[in-house]
Amino acid sequence: MRKRIWKITAMAAAIVLILGLLWMGESLVGNPISKHLAKKAAQEHLETVYPDTDFVLDEVGYSFKDGGYYAHVKSPSSEDSAFTLTFNHWGKFRWDSYEDRVVHRENTARRVDMEYRQLTKQVLSQMESYDPDGIQYGTLDLNRKESLKNKDFRPYSMAFEDLELDRVYDVGELGARCGTVIYYVDTDDITPEHAAQLMLEIRRVMDQAGAGFQGLDLVLREPPKENAPYDKELHVEAFPYKDIYEEGLEERILEAHLQLEEKYAAMDQEKAAEINEANK
């Protein structure tokens, strides 16, 4: 009798263990039944919501982060028309990213920004101070039109919605409208004079390549010491392209740096006041 009880107990423990492993496996990689349900639901969604398009399912995958299934959709005729549908493990529709990625031009913005980054990294690599492992590249300041009402965005930022779907842009010209160059240099020479030399060289190489920009984020900082933060730096943000010319440049850089320091100090004080208020 006792032996039989032990067998039943061992069998029950084995079943629980197997079920646990199956549950863990499903939570990590999903299961083929749910994937099939998601794929079928995605196809029905395309046929119902987008009947007169050439949208096709690219692939269906599982995300262990939220336990959902993601159906990626693309268009053979439109590079910028890719989007995603999501479903739960029963194949029930959750959400559709078409409006954000296609209607509001998020895909187009990502594409042209990547092209601009590639162009500017290639151009900036011609400089002696260029560090391939450093922070030295260009980006297009693009965001949703609604978000641009926030005063924290750069004044020359451009709305996603102003871009044209699938248009082949001259990203150098686009950069002249909304581009920012980000250039960090580790150096012992942290002076406005050195910053001015770098700014003039950045403008020269960018102009020669037809890679326009509106603003420059330049940071000169001491080379890092082991297990220690950066000690000293000179930093300007969104320094206007039009102000990068030799006469009086050092003075303009120093003024921009001091204004930025004041801005950061005010932000720190405001944050500290909020924390003190919350702790009362």
Side-chain angles (χ1 to χ4, degrees), residues 139-157:
T139 186
L140 298 174
D141 280 278
L142 298 163
N143 217 300
R144 290 282 292 271
K145 185 174 292 185
E146 185 68 23
S147 300
L148 294 181
K149 296 176 182 179
N150 190 318
K151 65 180 181 179
D152 292 332
F153 285 99
R154 300 173 193 270
Y156 51 80
S157 295

Side-chain angles (χ1 to χ4, degrees), residues 23 33 89 107 114 131 246 262:
W23 178 82
I33 296 176
H89 65 280
N107 287 340
M114 182 58 66
D131 177 2
E246 194 166 352
E262 291 176 2

Side-chain angles (χ1 to χ4, degrees), residues 115-116 119 140 169-179 209-213:
E115 292 174 4
Y116 185 69
L119 170 64
L140 298 174
Y169 282 93
D170 180 332
V171 291
E173 291 183 0
L174 201 57
R177 177 176 175 180
C178 63
F213 65 98

Side-chain angles (χ1 to χ4, degrees), residues 22 33 46 54-55 63 85 87 102 108 112 117 143 145 167 196 223 234 245 271 279:
L22 289 173
I33 296 176
L46 291 181
D54 62 354
F55 295 153
S63 172
L85 309 172
F87 304 85
V102 183
T108 309
V112 295
R117 284 177 181 242
N143 217 300
K145 185 174 292 185
R167 176 177 170 180
L234 188 153
Y245 57 91
K271 188 174 181 180
N279 290 334

Side-chain angles (χ1 to χ4, degrees), residues 202-214:
I202 289 170
R203 174 166 176 163
R204 177 179 60 78
V205 298
M206 293 285 283
D207 284 350
Q208 288 176 348
F213 65 98
Q214 268 282 344

